[in-house]
Each structure stands twice: as C-alpha cells, then as structure tokens.
Amino acid sequence: MEENRILEVKNLQLSFQLDVGTNHVIRDISFHLNRGETLAIVGESGSGKSVTTKAILGLIDDNGAVEEGSILFRLNKNGKEEIVDLLHSTKSFMQKNIRGSKIAIIFQDPMTSLDPTMTIGNQIMESMLEHKLVKSKKEALERTRNLLDLVGIDHPDKRMKQYPHQLSGGMRQRIVIAIALACEPDLLIADEPTTALDVTIQSQILELIKDIQKKTGVAIIFITHDLGVVANVADRVAVMYAGKIVEEGLASEVYYDPRHPYTWGLLSSIPSLDGKEEEILSIPGSPPNLIHPPKGDAFAYRSSYALAIDFEEVPPMFKVSETHFVASWLLHPDAPKVEMPDVLKKRLNQYSHSKEV
Amino acid sequence: MSTNNVILEVKNLKQFFRVDRKTTTRAVDDVSFKIFEGETFSVVGESGSGKSTLGRTLIRIYDGVAGEVEFMGKKISGKLDKETKHFITTNMQMIFQDPMASLNPRKKVLDTVAFGLDVNKLVSDPVERKNKVIEVLKSVGLSEDHINRFPHQFSGGQRQRIGVARALVLKPKFIIADEIISALDVSIQAQVINLMKKLQRELGLTYLFIAHDLSMVRYISDRVAVMHLGHIVEMGTVDDVYNHPMHPYTKSLLSAIPHPDPDSEKKRKRFVYDMSTIIYNDSHMVQLSDTHSILTTDKDFELWSKGDYSLSLK
Ligand SMILES: Nc1ncnc2c1ncn2[C@@H]1O[C@H](COP(=O)(O)OP(=O)(O)O)[C@@H](O)[C@H]1O
Ligand SMILES: Nc1ncnc2c1ncn2[C@@H]1O[C@H](COP(=O)(O)OP(=O)(O)O)[C@@H](O)[C@H]1O
Ligand SMILES: [Mg+2]
Ligand SMILES: [Mg+2]
C-alpha cells in the first residue's frame, strides 16, 4: 500500500443468500483513502454504501459471503505501523483492535448508537475505559469534557449527567460523534449522519465534522445519497450505482466535470440555486434487482445516453486524469461524442468556479 | 396560479396539545392564510414547527381549539354534520411522508387504492372499481400489472406513487401533501415532484405542500409560508421568500441549504441568528407588499428593514 494511504479496498465482491436467490450486492469495487482526507461515497439507496462500510468493520450479516477482494488497513499500534487485511481478520481481532478504537462509525439515526438507559457521560467514557486508553476515572472525565467541547456542547458537566432523550436530535448526533472520537480513531465512517436532521442542524454538523478533521487529522468516509450535502466536506467523491463505483475523482472533478450519465442524473436532480427551470431532471425508473444483475452497464437501462455495447459488456474504468476515473463506454475513444444535459451544463457555467477557468 | 378564487381560508387557527398538567404545546398558534384555486401553497419549517398539525387540523384529524376554516365556500371548522364530513373526505385528501407506514402491508395495491371508493360507497360494480384504480395508477406512472402486488414489492418512489394514487382516486380538489418526498433519495424526489406538477396541470388540483427542505419547495410552489414554533413567520410568493427574505428564521433556513458547488461552499458564510431573542407573543403580521408579510415586533421590524440583524449576536 502506498505510504500516504490508510485504507485500500481492492476488488471487493460480496453477496447475500436469500430464499429467492443470491443477491450480488457489491460487484467488484476498489477505492482507497489517503491519510487525513474525506472521501464521499454517493449513491441511491440500495447501491451498496452501507454494506461496504460493514465489510470494512467486519460486520457482514450472517447470510453474506465475501466472494473476492481484500480491505487493507494501516494499523497504527503504539507508533508501529502494520498493514492488515480487515476482510480476512477474525471477529475477535476486529473487536479488540479495530472497531470502535481504530475505526469508528456514526449512523443516520443517533438513537441507534445511544443507550437510552445510560448517561451521556458514561457512554462516552465506556469505550475509553474498555480500550484502556485512560488510567483512571479522573482522566476519563477530563477527556470527556474535552471531547464535549470539541463537538460544540456547552456545560459539559451538566450534559454528562443527562440521558439521550433529554437532548435534541442535533445534540444527540454531536454526542454520537463524541463517542466515535473517544478512542482517537484513524478512520471515521459517517453513514448518512445528517439525513435525519433539519437543514440548519445539518449544516452545523457538517461544519463540525470539517472542524474535527482539521483538529485531529482523522480520515473520513462520508456516505450520502445527496451530492449536494458533501460539496463542502469531500476531498474526493466516489459515485456508486448497483454495487459498483461508476465515477471517482477529486471533488472538483466530479462536481465541475462529471462524465458518467448517472453522475449527471444525480447532479441534475438537485434543485438549482435560482430555481428558474420548469422541471427538475430526474433519473427515470429505479435501480435494478441485483439477484439478477443486468448484463453490461447496469445504469444503461435508465439512461438516455446508453450505447448498444452498454447492454452487452461491463465498461472498464476509463482514466480521465491521474485522479479521475469513469466506468462508462461513453469514454471509449470510438464512442460517439455526447454532452451532459443542457440544464446541468448551464448550471455548471453559473458556478463561481467556472468563471476562473 | 390560474385564477384568484380562494379555495381555502384559514383564520386564527389554533391547535394545542396538553403535555401534562402544567405544560401545553402550542403546535399551531394563531395562524391565518388563504390558498387560491389551482396553486401550490407550501408550508416549510424545521421539525416540530407545527406543519403536520396544521395539515391534520385542516383535514379534521384534529378538531382545532380555535379559529375558522372555510373550504370551497363551506365552513369546515367547529362541529360538523354528516354531509359536511362527506364533503371534506371527497374534496380534500392527505398524503403522508412514510409511504411504507401509511400503506397496509397485507393489502394489495388494488384494495389500498380503492379504499376511499369503498368506505364512501362510491362504486358497487367490481369491474368499475378495478377500472377506476387502473386509471388512477396509470396517471401516477404505474400500470395494471401492479394491482395485485403488495407494498413491500415496490421501491420507495413507487410506494409514494401508490400513496398519491390512493389520494387521487376520489378526484379531490385539494391535496395536503405532508413531507411526501422527505424519505426519498434526491433523484427520486425529483420524479415525485414532477409527477405532482403534471397532475396539477392535468387535473387542476390545489396543493398544500408541507416540507422541511426548502430547495425542492421552490420548484413546486407559487406561494410559501414559513412556520416556526407554531407561527407563520413569513409568507409570500416564491420570489418574495427566496429572493427577498426578511425574517431571520427564513434567512437562516435558506442559508443552510447546501449547494453542489465546492468552491462557493468553502467560502460561504452561514446566516446565524439567536432565535430565542424573538418574542412571538408581542409580534404581529406586517405587510411588506401585496403578497409578502412577516411576523414581527415594531422594534425588530425597524432593525430588520435596515438589514440590521446584529442584535441577536450580542
Ligand atoms: N443481510 C442481507 N441480506 C440480503 N440483502 C441484503 C442484506 N443486507 C443488505 N442487503 C441488500 O444489499 C443492497 C445494498 O444495501 P445497502 O448497502 O444497505 O444500501 P445503501 O447504499 O442504501 O446503504 C440492498 O439491495 C439491500 O437490500
Ligand atoms: N398528537 C400529539 N400529541 C402531543 N403533541 C403533539 C402531537 N402532535 C404533535 N405534537 C407536538 O406539536 C409540535 C408540532 O408538531 P408537528 O406538527 O408534528 O410538527 P412538524 O410537522 O412541523 O414537524 C411538536 O412539539 C410536537 O411534539
Ligand atoms: Mg445505507
Ligand atoms: Mg411533520
């Protein structure tokens, strides 16, 4: 693994066994995460975002099976670094050395991660004590105060004595973030952390996550179905569709120079700033059933840009730049030249960025 | 807006919930507005601001503790006789946020959609019943093939279409859509919004559209009311509210909408205002133009109209 990488997912293939057949949910995905950066994974529900994070954490459901691949993680143990394959590690190794300590996760609904019967303070201190990060209760308390401060919660001593139901939704998500950070993880996975929150709270939590990254240098995987949400936090973006990554690049590449018709669809379906358009372009239809994955490019069936070959052969990753990759036959040198939808093109032209070009 | 006929007029509507002996939630607290025939009037605001309670009070799931509501020239607040109840159910329908929770999992689409016809005894012939359901399913982009399926066999967007079909089958004039896109992926939200617009054009429907997300609302609305703590704090045309917002609550909601534009997002300054400094009990509606009004005190109004929002920052 390259020196600056902390995580590398390679050719991951994963399926679930169901009564009606095998659900091929992750179909050969590869991506990496550099130290201290934020990678956004974006896609519609069912595209495989959460399953991917569960694979990283070693939490695949019992009916799931890894068919291929590896997940390399740079494990930092008392200053010594070693590379471990999380996909082929034992449950107890993951429990003891990885989950909650080196890799932490926050979910959409803060209540699923909080224990309603336990005070906030005890919940934050629990994992510190469990992973022996502190020597005494006093040290744990001190650290908890600092953490609450870091996640923007006033009156820490009062809050520590409260229970989850006594807090607002936004406040609870801050607590969940504090718990996630309690063991100073090297990787934080945020699975739709703002989807259930009001917009004003969402923007505060996004600010907070950015701020925490600046202060702690933690690497972040941020999962969302809404490309609009992550523009402010993502360094790089991976767009997922039907268990595959269809486009990957620096945020500036994916937002200002998108190449995959699915990315075009995702961007066009976000209402524009001026709202002058009569209709918002939507992506027609719905994602395919992966018990019988479609032949070729799975998105072709919803795309008005599909070529004949899309229905026959899976497109390879075409390289647009050193950092920008797109899995679409449209990027083949022999493909007809097509342009993104007019609406999207106009909108991209309006953005401040384009003025500088 | 096709005409200027008022289809719904709400005057000083209140709906409170008793929490315990000492506390009452004033979920809807003295709200007045008009909705014109054929338009989309949207109510936006954060969760808990009273939007659903407002919708539910209008359609008489709740009775309302005070105020008057007139719908298509008929009074529909206060005590209702049987005829008025029937009048409300056949002309006013509500669609809910969570498509799965509002659909009976053991009922086929045919029976779910026909529910309104059945309880109001509007058809007796099963063939006619089925044809009516198929017709309405087609209008929302589903097909005849779907009638014998169960809700779990549909995607979120399709389920929401079933919810729309169920509301439309009675051919209502007025639809209350309560957060119908909130649980859907952004890409699918656009599908549902476009569908609602198409149906409105074709059937001349009037919508009360409830949402907490201001960005989609702009596309579907003619006029918008912003709710906060049970009050309408700003109301106007889309242009008034989005391009000339004056109430700090509206300004903070707009300023929190994320944009898919990394460079501008990085530079963006969010509007922040300490809402606890606002005292709604001392406030009154001030008309800024024929179409635009805000809830404010004289003192705040003087500052805000000069663009001075510094007071709250202390
Ligand atoms: N235990 C399981 N058994 C069968 N299918 C599953 C299981 N867990 C997840 N899936 C399926 O895997 C697909 C991807 O799910 P998920 O990763 O949760 O999607 P999302 O991108 O919305 O997070 C979905 O179709 C989901 O139904
Ligand atoms: N049936 C009810 N009983 C008691 N309180 C309620 C009830 N419904 C809503 N409330 C309260 O009324 C306020 C407004 O709620 P609601 O109308 O659901 O807001 P919104 O739809 O804007 O999120 C909230 O404080 C909520 O807790
Ligand atoms: Mg998920
Ligand atoms: Mg509501």
Side-chain angles (χ1 to χ4, degrees), chain A residues 44-51 53 108 191-192 223:
Chain A
E44 284 169 290
S45 28
S47 55
K49 308 180 297 292
S50 294
V51 170
T53 66
Q108 172 172 342
D191 192 350
E192 310 241 13
I223 290 182

Side-chain angles (χ1 to χ4, degrees), chain A residues 163-187:
Chain A
Y163 291 89
H165 73 265
Q166 293 172 293
L167 305 175
S168 68
M171 201 81 100
R172 282 181 204 144
Q173 199 58 296
R174 285 174 193 266
I175 300 292
V176 171
I177 295 173
I179 295 172
L181 295 174
C183 295
E184 301 184 345
D186 293 323
L187 170 59

Side-chain angles (χ1 to χ4, degrees), chain A residues 80 82 103 120 153 157 159 200 212 250 283 292 306 320:
Chain A
K80 263 206 223 119
E82 77 185 278
I103 306 181
I120 301 300
I153 287 188
D157 288 303
R159 294 297 180 199
T200 50
I212 284 169
L250 301 176
I283 305 174
H292 306 286
V320 179

Side-chain angles (χ1 to χ4, degrees), chain B residues 124-271:
Chain B
S124 45
D125 175 23
V127 178
E128 190 195 341
R129 177 177 179 264
K130 189 169 145 186
N131 286 339
K132 281 204 153 131
V133 170
I134 292 170
E135 185 194 343
V136 72
L137 283 178
K138 281 185 179 155
S139 76
V140 300
L142 296 171
S143 75
E144 190 170 347
D145 303 339
H146 292 121
I147 58 172
N148 287 321
R149 296 205 203 157
F150 294 92
H152 73 264
Q153 293 169 303
F154 293 89
S155 66
Q158 283 177 319
R159 279 183 212 135
Q160 202 48 282
R161 287 169 193 268
I162 299 171
V164 176
R166 180 176 55 175
L168 285 180
V169 76
L170 291 173
K171 301 202 185 314
K173 298 278 181 311
F174 183 75
I175 289 189
I176 301 172
D178 188 359
E179 307 259 13
I180 59 170
I181 55 169
S182 306
L184 303 174
D185 280 343
V186 197
S187 53
I188 308 295
Q189 288 182 3
Q191 279 182 18
V192 174
I193 291 283
N194 289 336
L195 169 69
M196 295 299 284
K197 283 181 110 171
K198 176 187 95 117
L199 291 169
Q200 183 169 48
R201 270 196 310 272
E202 289 170 4
L203 306 171
L205 297 166
T206 306
Y207 294 146
L208 173 64
F209 192 87
I210 295 173
H212 69 269
D213 172 13
L214 276 85
S215 44
M216 279 290 175
V217 163
R218 182 175 200 152
Y219 274 86
I220 194 165
S221 313
D222 297 294
R223 291 188 305 130
V224 178
V226 181
M227 257 185 112
H228 185 216
L229 299 173
H231 306 276
I232 289 180
V233 300
E234 183 151 13
M235 182 158 55
T237 62
V238 164
D239 180 54
D240 292 334
V241 172
Y242 284 81
N243 299 332
H244 312 282
M246 185 165 180
H247 198 283
Y249 184 67
T250 315
K251 288 174 89 80
S252 69
L253 286 182
L254 288 169
S255 141
I257 299 176
H259 299 157
D261 181 0
D263 290 352
S264 82
E265 279 291 304
K266 296 217 162 72
K267 288 178 232 143
R268 206 161 149 204
K269 280 266 170 290
R270 310 272 174 197
F271 178 90

